[in-house]
Amino acid sequence: MDDRTIDEALDAAHLPALVAAIACITGDASWLKPEWRPTYNPLVRDEIGVSAEEQARIKAAAHKVIADLVSGKLKPAGPPSPALVRQLMDFVIGADIPEGYDAFLADELALAGVSTKDPNWTAGEKAKAKALKVLVIGAGMSGILTGIRLSQAGVPFEIIEKNADVGGTWLENTYPGCRVDSSNHMYSYSFEPNHQWPNHFSPQPVLLDYFRGVADRYDLRKSIRFETTVLEAVFDEARSIWRVHLRDKSGDRWVEANAVITAVGQLNRPRLPDIAGRETFKGTSFHSAEWRHDVDLAGKRVAVIGTGASAFQFVPEIAGKVSHLTVFQRTPPWAFPTPYYHEAVPEGMKWLLESVPTYDKWYRFFLFWMVTDGFLAGVRADPDWKGPSTAVSEANLMFREMMAMAIAAQLGEGGQGLLDKVIPTYPLGGKRALLDNGVWLQALQRDNVELVTDPIVAITETGVVTKSGARYDVDVIIYGTGFHASRFLLPMTFKGRGGKDLHETWNGDPRAYLGMTVPGFPNLFMIYGPNTNIVVNGSIVFFSECSVRYITGCLKLLIDRDAAAIECRKDVHDAFNVRVDEGNKLMAWGSPGVTSWYKNEKGRVTQNWPFALIDYWNATVEPNPDDFVIERGKVEAA
């Protein structure tokens, strides 16, 4: 590699992560110079608070090390000491790591390539595990992850998938502009990095290719039953076996499993709004999650109902193609200004990720920390808050004002007339915040686009009628109205001990211990279950990896205890949910005046985790046997 190529790579580098990588390569802590330590602006990604002169010195020094590394003159030092790792973590994040975070962050960093999330089963445990049969429902991100970890533990399994391929939400959602809104270098399995992401926030086809590729690398397809749906699962108490009713193209059949793991997600059942006359519209209509690619929108009058995450992405894509676009908004979303949202990852960055040892880990660590718990304080409610209802605390108000100013700046002078329509009146964090590099606001300012905040009262044969009596005749209606998020596991039926139905037990108010287990339903585990959604901190991949670690730990308990069934204690389950409810009441999304898909029809927050990521990590490192009723007995082969 020539000097020019190295320089181009260095120009694309996240320098604090690069310094940490060089310190690891050389084993030299003197790289951690105080004048090179970053000071971040959370709303401006490229600002590290280091002067241009010092950045040039970092690049010059790193150039020599990398050139020597590539030429073979330099051999990387051995693994850094725990003390040096701690120094490096403090350096990369530009602050001293809070007390108690060391083990959590070192595990996530996984410099040695191993972590607590890897199944660590003995040969004897793996031999005994062969008697188990686990049924996994869903082959999306969490289902693929579960299959990988079960195979590593030696547990026989089968994955049931309703679609014809893997990928879950990244297979089903194909609307224009669909892309991830967590940085790809973090929204990926911790043990399966992709150094060739084309964008910082890659589009749907790229995400789908990633998950397909992982499934193929771990040879999972042979264990997946595609185009098959689960109708019902019934627990046989006498045998401690789940009997599961399946349906595929050839008909119905029953299979048996010692344990069932659901990996079906929360946002997979499209919700259409309850608007009078919706069925009478004679034009074309569809939900964004079921995009009609056979419908040519060019030159059409189009109505979009809803301004959530999907609309935020597809509206800018179609606005320039249609003759007129009417966007109906009930409440505006908060949007974090993200100038690099559509930016490509420079080739030099890809080379560094691939070629400089540990740089990929330190860069991912930086991304992880920046969204770990840093924003959590800004959306936590102050019980004694006496300020305006548009905020829930002094910190929340300051956060709000910063965001409002950034949105106003994105609008520019010509768009200030839209300001009252696009700045939410609810507290920041009350609903899902989105990312915008300006394309959403630019789309709303187009001459052929109209943003309507007058409430919809009816849909007619020709279009939409609002409360003021205004009529909007259109050719196509696109519903960007979200999903039935609170209706966990529907339309499947689960019957536990005594034939108790899970949905009847929940009675419209789903709860689970750590989002995974429910009393009365032994050997049934959920991934992305109740109260495991995160709002402003972290990636859902992190939560799934923690959950799968915990679930495989529960299966290991079965093996180690020579048990047939494991069931969460009711008192443990109930006490946990009391803590969760109390925690959610003290967050912006739990505020009484805020309505969103985070809350169910009873007004309870059923979706969100109100605590720090470290709390979930600590709670799921391994299951506490005292939290369960463990029923001894011979495991019957399913």
Side-chain angles (χ1 to χ4, degrees):
M1 172 164 283
D2 58 32
D3 288 344
R4 179 180 176 182
T5 304
I6 294 176
D7 285 338
E8 289 175 351
L10 290 172
D11 285 340
H14 177 257
L15 292 181
L18 180 66
V19 169
I22 298 295
C24 285
I25 292 168
T26 60
D28 183 1
S30 69
W31 277 82
L32 309 184
K33 302 180 186 300
E35 61 269 29
W36 291 357
R37 182 166 166 148
T39 302
Y40 297 110
N41 178 343
L43 294 181
V44 184
R45 173 177 174 268
D46 294 328
E47 285 190 11
I48 61 171
V50 176
S51 70
E53 293 78 11
E54 293 301 334
Q55 289 190 41
R57 291 188 179 96
I58 293 173
K59 293 176 185 178
H63 183 118
K64 183 179 187 311
V65 173
I66 293 174
D68 288 347
L69 184 72
V70 171
S71 68
K73 292 180 182 178
L74 174 65
K75 301 298 181 184
S81 67
L84 178 56
V85 170
R86 172 57 193 259
Q87 285 181 272
L88 293 170
M89 290 195 294
D90 287 347
F91 178 86
V92 170
I93 69 173
D96 292 342
I97 291 171
E99 186 177 350
Y101 273 71
D102 298 49
F104 160 57
L105 291 176
D107 188 59
E108 189 63 26
L109 178 62
L111 272 183
V114 296
S115 80
T116 62
K117 297 168 187 171
D118 305 320
N120 186 24
W121 293 34
T122 66
E125 287 167 337
K126 289 183 177 181
K128 293 169 70 175
K130 293 178 180 178
L132 292 174
K133 166 68 180 296
V134 175
L135 199 71
V136 181
I137 305 174
M141 178 273 290
S142 295
I144 292 170
L145 170 65
T146 304
I148 292 170
R149 294 312 197 190
L150 290 176
S151 64
Q152 291 172 336
V155 178
F157 66 94
E158 184 175 31
I159 300 175
I160 308 300
E161 172 53 54
K162 64 179 171 40
N163 294 316
D165 200 357
V166 301
T169 190
W170 299 111
L171 175 70
E172 295 174 0
N173 286 271
T174 60
Y175 59 81
C178 181
R179 66 198 312 123
V180 69
D181 60 4
S182 293
S183 176
N184 262 138
H185 295 96
M186 187 177 68
Y187 186 89
S188 47
Y189 301 127
S190 61
F191 56 93
E192 276 290 337
N194 178 13
H195 298 147
Q196 301 302 317
W197 289 116
N199 297 87
H200 294 287
F201 300 86
S202 293
Q204 172 265 335
V206 176
L207 269 294
L208 180 56
D209 284 347
Y210 171 80
F211 289 111
R212 282 172 169 166
V214 172
D216 290 339
R217 277 194 293 281
Y218 287 88
D219 197 22
L220 291 183
R221 291 180 186 272
K222 69 177 187 295
S223 301
I224 304 175
R225 195 182 296 212
F226 290 109
E227 297 183 279
T228 304
T229 56
V230 174
L231 302 179
E232 182 181 31
V234 180
F235 188 67
D236 184 334
E237 293 184 62
R239 302 167 58 214
S240 293
I241 292 289
W242 280 97
R243 300 184 63 250
V244 184
H245 185 186
L246 305 178
R247 178 171 293 165
D248 59 20
K249 291 180 178 178
S250 62
D252 291 13
R253 69 189 67 190
W254 287 81
V255 298
E256 296 184 339
N258 302 99
V260 173
I261 302 172
T262 67
V264 296
Q266 295 181 6
L267 306 179
N268 60 358
R269 297 185 63 241
R271 184 184 67 83
L272 293 173
D274 185 16
I275 300 174
R278 180 169 54 81
E279 301 296 336
T280 67
F281 180 63
K282 289 190 174 181
T284 301
S285 63
F286 54 87
H287 192 281
S288 61
E290 298 168 334
W291 195 270
R292 289 279 304 275
H293 292 279
D294 61 318
V295 177
D296 185 3
L297 298 179
K300 299 287 199 313
R301 299 168 300 168
V302 178
V304 171
I305 299 178
T307 53
S310 299
F312 225 69
Q313 294 180 333
F314 73 73
V315 162
E317 296 289 325
I318 68 173
K321 302 174 183 177
V322 304
S323 65
H324 192 272
L325 181 63
T326 309
V327 179
F328 293 91
Q329 172 183 278
R330 187 171 57 181
T331 54
W334 280 107
F336 286 94
T338 311
Y340 54 97
Y341 188 44
H342 290 95
E343 282 185 10
V345 177
E347 291 302 314
M349 169 69 95
K350 296 177 185 177
W351 183 85
L352 288 174
L353 291 165
E354 182 68 31
S355 305
V356 176
T358 75
Y359 174 75
D360 64 329
K361 291 184 178 295
W362 286 112
Y363 180 62
R364 187 178 186 277
F365 175 77
F366 152 72
L367 294 173
F368 181 80
W369 175 257
M370 290 299 283
V371 295
T372 294
D373 294 323
F375 288 119
L376 205 59
V379 296
R380 185 173 288 119
D382 177 359
D384 299 321
W385 174 244
K386 305 298 183 185
S389 61
T390 54
V392 293
S393 69
E394 187 66 37
N396 187 245
L397 181 60
M398 292 176 61
F399 201 0
R400 172 193 177 82
E401 290 173 347
M402 289 174 58
M403 291 288 292
M405 289 175 60
I407 292 171
Q410 278 188 327
L411 275 174
E413 290 185 9
Q416 295 304 301
L418 280 173
L419 197 59
D420 289 343
K421 289 185 176 182
V422 299
I423 300 292
T425 57
Y426 59 85
L428 182 64
K431 301 186 180 188
R432 180 181 179 183
L434 308 177
L435 304 182
D436 184 29
N437 60 348
V439 298
W440 167 256
L441 295 176
Q442 290 166 16
L444 296 184
Q445 295 178 72
R446 293 179 60 95
D447 292 339
N448 68 325
V449 176
E450 181 180 5
L451 179 63
V452 177
T453 57
D454 191 18
I456 296 173
V457 295
I459 292 176
T460 67
E461 293 182 356
T462 60
V464 178
V465 181
T466 59
K467 187 177 180 180
S468 67
R471 304 178 70 89
Y472 299 85
D473 289 342
V474 296
D475 305 305
V476 180
I477 297 176
I478 304 173
Y479 294 101
T481 47
F483 301 85
H484 291 289
S486 293
R487 301 180 183 179
F488 291 88
L489 304 187
L490 282 173
M492 298 179 290
T493 298
F494 292 86
K495 293 183 178 179
R497 290 195 185 278
K500 183 185 297 184
D501 183 278
L502 179 59
H503 295 296
E504 291 178 1
T505 299
W506 279 342
N507 190 27
D509 196 8
R511 301 170 186 265
Y513 178 53
L514 295 174
M516 289 182 275
T517 65
V518 180
F521 295 84
N523 299 2
L524 174 65
F525 306 98
M526 291 171 279
I527 303 170
Y528 204 14
N531 296 113
T532 58
N533 183 62
I534 43 180
V535 181
V536 295
N537 53 328
S539 158
I540 192 57
V541 177
F542 167 83
F543 255 65
S544 291
E545 290 194 1
C546 288
S547 296
V548 173
R549 171 182 60 187
Y550 185 87
I551 292 167
T552 55
C554 288
L555 297 176
K556 188 170 179 286
L557 268 180
L558 283 178
I559 295 297
D560 292 341
R561 299 293 179 96
D562 293 319
I566 183 169
E567 176 183 347
C568 177
R569 284 172 36 192
K570 188 175 186 306
D571 61 323
V572 171
H573 168 277
D574 292 351
F576 167 78
N577 278 279
V578 168
R579 294 197 303 275
V580 165
D581 288 348
E582 291 174 347
N584 274 320
K585 288 176 183 176
L586 293 176
M587 305 305 292
W589 54 78
S591 299
V594 173
T595 58
S596 71
W597 62 267
Y598 298 150
K599 294 180 179 179
N600 63 12
E601 295 174 355
K602 299 182 179 182
R604 176 179 172 267
V605 176
T606 53
Q607 311 301 124
N608 296 346
W609 178 254
F611 310 119
L613 291 192
I614 189 173
D615 295 322
Y616 199 73
W617 184 86
N618 281 327
T620 57
V621 169
E622 60 181 354
N624 180 356
D626 294 338
D627 291 342
F628 296 91
V629 176
I630 300 177
E631 187 176 296
R632 296 185 179 278
K634 184 177 183 300
V635 173
E636 180 175 331

